[in-house]
């Protein structure tokens, strides 16, 4: 075999185990900062949360010694624009707990891997017609053509270092800072206020977080983690695996011993991403949610090994008040120049909705 990027195409639907060991090796090699694309997050997400049909693509490099090395991982949802063409469009994976679809790419051959991944996904032997792939702007983009279009994707709120605490406060709204300080003073009049940032969550802490979130508006609207057993189990597993891998940061705000605000942050390398936040809505006038978010930023600024923090939301939401930068992203749209056969449509309808390509 010649040296170069190779992929094993699977045109039908297969049920096969995810390649966890090489996947972890790719993450450890520094294949990106997207913790949502690690096996410890994506696998539980697909099992407990993802309801739409999905595709996970694994791309390997084959050396002259015939050794295979995983060089890319990408995840997609399969969309159906109409009943006539069921699930013939791939779009970046998107569900209520998956907020960053940027693929993992091997750092030593990032550009070559990116180009090969696009070619792999656009191969005409696959049963889909179009592919949308979201990526950071740091990769070299292909030239637009008759089958490739590129447009801006929604950016993600972030903070980038070097950034001191003083410089950060100068960039923030002075009225917002004054409001937070005033509410913190008022909260301290009720009792002892304590902020902690830990790298572990006990079973009791996990259940305490879930209960606090369910007691608020998310619980009444049926969108809290405890509203679905599968979502709660997903959260329990993800936090446990993140702690095991040293990727968990658990920030708490307590009034005396009562939990009134909490945030779970997930880190990968030098990047930390805000994952879940909850607060005691009976103390809404003291803004415990905003005070918890401010504590998360304080932890990031005080950390020597963290360089980027992402808020996971748009600049129009509350994240934009704390995460003042924006990480730009683009979407690459690849269209296959063919019409699907009747057999393609029939096989897509009849086969399972989940597909692993490796």
């Amino acid at each position: 075999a010649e040296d170069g990027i190779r992929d094993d195409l699977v045109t039908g639907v297969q049920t096969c185990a995810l390649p966890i060991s090489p996947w972890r090796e790719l993450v450890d090699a520094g294949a990106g900062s997207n913790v949502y694309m690690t096996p410890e997050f994506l696998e539980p997400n697909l099992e407990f949360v993802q309801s739409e049909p999905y595709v996970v693509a694994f791309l390997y490099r084959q050396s002259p010694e015939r050794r295979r090395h995983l060089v890319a991982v990408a995840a997609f949802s399969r969309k159906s624009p109409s009943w006539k063409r069921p699930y013939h469009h791939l779009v970046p994976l998107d569900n209520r707990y998956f907020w960053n679809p940027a693929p993992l790419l091997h750092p030593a051959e990032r550009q070559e891997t990116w180009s090969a991944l696009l070619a792999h996904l656009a191969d005409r032997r696959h049963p889909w017609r179009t592919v949308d792939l979201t990526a950071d702007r740091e990769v070299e983009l292909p030239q637009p053509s008759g089958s490739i279009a590129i447009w801006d994707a929604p950016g993600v709120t972030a903070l980038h270092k070097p950034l001191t605490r003083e410089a950060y406060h100068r960039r923030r709204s002075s009225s917002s800072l004054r409001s937070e300080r005033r509410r913190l003073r008022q909260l301290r009049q009720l009792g002892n206020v304590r902020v902690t940032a830990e790298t572990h969550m006990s079973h009791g802490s996990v259940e305490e977080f879930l209960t606090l979130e369910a007691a608020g508006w998310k619980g009444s609207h049926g969108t809290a983690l405890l509203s679905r057993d599968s979502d709660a189990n997903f959260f329990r597993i993800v936090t446990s695996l993140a702690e095991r891998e040293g990727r968990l940061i658990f920030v708490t705000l307590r009034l005396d011993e009562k939990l009134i605000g909490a945030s779970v942050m997930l880190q990968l390398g030098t990047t930390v991403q805000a994952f879940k936040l909850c607060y005691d809505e009976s103390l809404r006038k003291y803004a415990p949610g905003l005070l918890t978010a401010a504590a998360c930023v304080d932890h990031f600024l005080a950390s020597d090994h963290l360089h980027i923090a992402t808020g996971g939301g748009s600049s129009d939401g509350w994240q934009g008040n704390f995460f003042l930068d924006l990480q730009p992203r683009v979407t690459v749209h690849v269209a296959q120049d063919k019409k699907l056969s009747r057999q393609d449509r029939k096989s897509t309808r009849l086969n399972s909705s989940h597909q692993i390509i490796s």
Side-chain angles (χ1 to χ4, degrees):
E2 297 180 357
D3 188 24
I5 297 291
R6 293 288 183 269
D7 56 71
D8 295 335
L9 293 174
V10 178
T11 55
V13 175
Q14 262 187 297
T15 56
C16 58
L18 297 174
I20 299 298
S21 293
W23 195 353
R24 286 176 178 154
E25 292 176 4
L26 178 63
V27 172
D28 293 339
S33 58
N34 185 6
V35 72
Y36 296 118
M37 285 298 299
T38 62
E40 291 76 24
F41 189 95
L42 182 55
E43 187 180 24
N45 183 280
L46 295 177
E47 180 179 355
F48 291 102
V49 180
Q50 180 71 10
S51 58
E52 292 181 321
Y54 64 81
V55 167
V56 182
F58 296 93
L59 195 68
Y60 293 83
R61 178 185 179 89
Q62 183 169 301
S63 67
E65 295 80 18
R66 295 183 178 274
R67 294 184 60 188
R68 299 202 319 163
H69 303 281
L70 186 64
V71 293
V73 180
F76 305 89
S77 295
R78 296 184 68 172
K79 298 288 187 178
S80 174
S82 70
W83 66 270
K84 293 182 179 180
R85 293 183 306 211
Y87 306 119
H88 285 328
H89 296 268
L90 292 191
V91 300
L93 189 72
D94 181 23
N95 57 51
R96 55 190 175 275
Y97 303 122
F98 192 89
W99 303 309
N100 187 351
L104 296 180
L105 303 173
H106 197 286
E109 43 198 330
R110 187 176 179 84
Q111 192 56 49
E112 184 182 8
T113 300
W114 168 252
S115 300
L117 180 62
L118 287 177
H120 173 50
L121 293 170
D123 192 286
R124 295 185 180 185
R125 285 172 286 181
H126 292 314
W128 48 79
R129 296 186 62 185
T130 63
V131 179
D132 287 351
L133 188 64
T134 297
D136 299 325
R137 281 190 174 276
E138 59 191 50
V139 298
E140 184 178 337
L141 299 173
Q143 292 296 319
S145 63
S147 60
I148 295 178
I150 301 173
W151 57 78
D152 288 331
V156 176
T157 53
L159 274 179
H160 297 96
K161 288 182 180 177
L163 182 66
T164 64
R165 181 183 177 90
E166 293 73 21
Y168 171 72
H169 284 173
R170 285 196 297 269
R171 292 181 58 189
R172 286 200 62 199
S173 164
S174 58
S175 61
S176 296
L177 289 173
R178 286 196 302 269
S179 175
E180 289 168 22
R181 291 166 182 157
R182 182 180 68 254
R183 289 172 174 179
L184 182 57
R185 287 195 303 268
Q186 294 171 344
L187 191 60
R188 284 173 173 159
Q189 294 174 1
L190 302 180
N192 180 43
V193 177
R194 182 164 55 96
V195 176
T196 62
E198 302 172 319
T199 57
H200 68 276
M201 291 180 74
S202 65
H203 173 75
S205 296
V206 172
E207 299 307 314
E208 192 177 23
F209 184 99
L210 293 171
T211 301
L212 180 60
E213 186 200 42
W217 67 268
K218 289 185 179 181
S220 60
H221 283 76
T223 58
L225 287 159
L226 277 180
S227 299
R228 300 179 181 89
D229 289 340
S230 57
D231 287 11
N233 289 333
F234 160 72
F235 182 78
R236 295 181 181 109
I237 292 174
V238 164
T239 51
S240 175
L241 293 177
E243 179 179 339
R244 186 194 70 185
E245 298 297 319
R247 298 181 186 143
L248 178 72
I249 299 176
F250 182 44
V251 177
T252 62
L253 175 67
R254 293 185 181 274
L255 179 61
D256 295 327
E257 293 304 316
K258 180 183 179 183
L259 183 68
I260 62 172
S263 175
V264 174
M265 304 173 72
L266 304 174
Q267 67 181 65
L268 182 60
T270 60
T271 299
V272 63
Q273 303 193 23
F275 174 47
K276 292 293 291 180
L277 185 146
C278 64
Y279 60 92
D280 188 341
E281 294 187 16
S282 67
L283 297 172
R284 187 183 291 109
K285 62 179 293 187
Y286 303 101
L290 296 181
L291 294 178
T292 302
C296 293
V297 173
D298 286 343
H299 175 80
F300 165 71
L301 295 175
S303 173
D304 294 329
H305 71 279
L306 294 176
H307 298 163
I308 301 174
T310 60
S314 68
S315 56
D316 297 332
W318 66 265
Q319 294 94 338
N321 293 326
F322 296 94
F323 301 89
L324 307 179
D325 301 320
L326 199 64
Q327 283 193 201
R329 294 203 175 124
V330 295
T331 295
V332 179
H333 176 81
V334 182
Q336 294 180 3
D337 185 20
K338 72 163 191 174
K339 291 184 178 180
L340 289 173
S341 67
R342 182 178 301 175
Q343 182 61 35
D344 284 333
R345 293 196 295 270
K346 181 179 179 181
S347 64
T348 306
R349 283 197 196 97
L350 296 178
N351 282 323
S352 168
S353 64
H354 304 318
Q355 185 166 4
I356 308 296
I357 300 177
S358 60

